[in-house]
Amino acid sequence: MHVVLTVLVAWGVLAGGGMAGGAPAAAADSALHRSSARLVAPGVAYGEFRMTVPRGLVHGHLLTVDLADPRVSVDLLYPGAVGARSPVSLLAAERGAVGAVNGDFFNITETQHPGVQATGAPVGPAVASGRQLKGAVPDGQRFGPAMPPGATTEDVIGVGYDHRARLDRLTLHGAVLTAGGTLPLRGLNQYALPVGGIGAYTPQWGTVSRMRATCGTDTDRAAPCSRDTTEVTVRHGRVTAVEDVPGSGGVPGGSVVLVGREEGARRLRALGVGDPVRVASRLVGRGPVPLRFAVGGFPIVRDDAPVAGLDTVAVAVRTSAGTGDGGRLLYLMALDGAPGQTGLTVRELADLMVELGARDAMDLDGGGSSTLVTGDRYGATVRNHPSGGAERPVPNAIGVFSAG
């Protein structure tokens, strides 16, 4: 009952047009008008804001996270598998998060490849509780708006073991060690592999098909699927099966499945049942402290200024995460998708994040995925109106926790 009442009250505030503690924006006033933020837990505050642009009213929701508070932590929320999706509110409630926003862009559809299953897996690297879950797909295989010059699918926002948030870039370093030599590993639990590459799939991948990994090219997501593929199953360090076509189903504990395309497939075909194989991989960042949590996106603000080359045309409901005060503050923002309200271009989003206090910021998945929730012992409450009318299941989210 408490959750229902909370949702109804929140809905009434959003739909009614007024914000407690904040004046509504005037029709011709583009200034940012913020409500009085309230603590949802020690070190975590929630507030709303409004602003007008020539297209109309923009309404947003903001979580401000004080990482200098030792009671506060941040981690990746995901449904227990890379290739799976769940609503943000459910992900937050299951982990007891006091706040969350949706995360990375993901493999949402496969209309270009009839008969191939969309995996639901995210684009970029992912790290949860220090466990490195996956690497980044090739730039040309990503979903989402165009990235600015210099950005890559390896870009992430994360929190290190030093309890500081930062933008970073995680690159996969890996190898397949065989009796005949060392093969380069080009993917880890990814829905798309580089042309000619080999990827590893662990139990964290889930049960969805691995066929999608061999479709498209490094520059064209819609290119046909490769006809030159091989899949090798390795269990406890020995090859147990060699197949021509990537399969589906969960990867058992103690096992790893290797998928190769083109040159990678030809090199995997040299392996036979019983051959010894060892797979090693790690995600390497550029910062001095390893990331305990990381999620993919692309940079829109660096050093208090929007990055060059951001899109200024396409308008959408958007989600963003930013850092401030030397990484001691984390800002999690989602726009409201209720009817009668407008979204922002990516460049406008960057300007907004600067005004909200972010020194660096990332664009996360938007549109129907944009969701911000707060949580308590009764469950999680969706604070914005998802633009699709209901929460969209997503592969991951940024979760905020407070021990207070």
Side-chain angles (χ1 to χ4, degrees), residues 76 82-83 103-107 120-128 131-139 141-144 147 152-157 168-172 187-192 205 283 294-298 362-365 395-396:
L76 189 77
V82 169
D104 200 356
F105 303 92
F106 61 96
N107 175 209
V123 167
V127 179
R131 171 181 285 184
Q132 298 183 343
L133 298 178
K134 68 176 300 291
V137 303
D139 288 350
Q141 291 268 19
R142 64 182 298 275
F143 289 75
M147 296 187 295
T152 85
T153 54
E154 295 179 344
D155 288 317
V156 298
I157 186 167
D168 205 339
R169 185 169 287 180
L170 293 179
T171 302
L172 178 67
L188 173 64
N189 291 328
Q190 296 169 201
Y191 70 78
W205 169 250
L283 296 172
V295 68
F298 63 85
M362 299 280 282
D363 183 36
L364 302 174
D365 193 13
N396 56 33

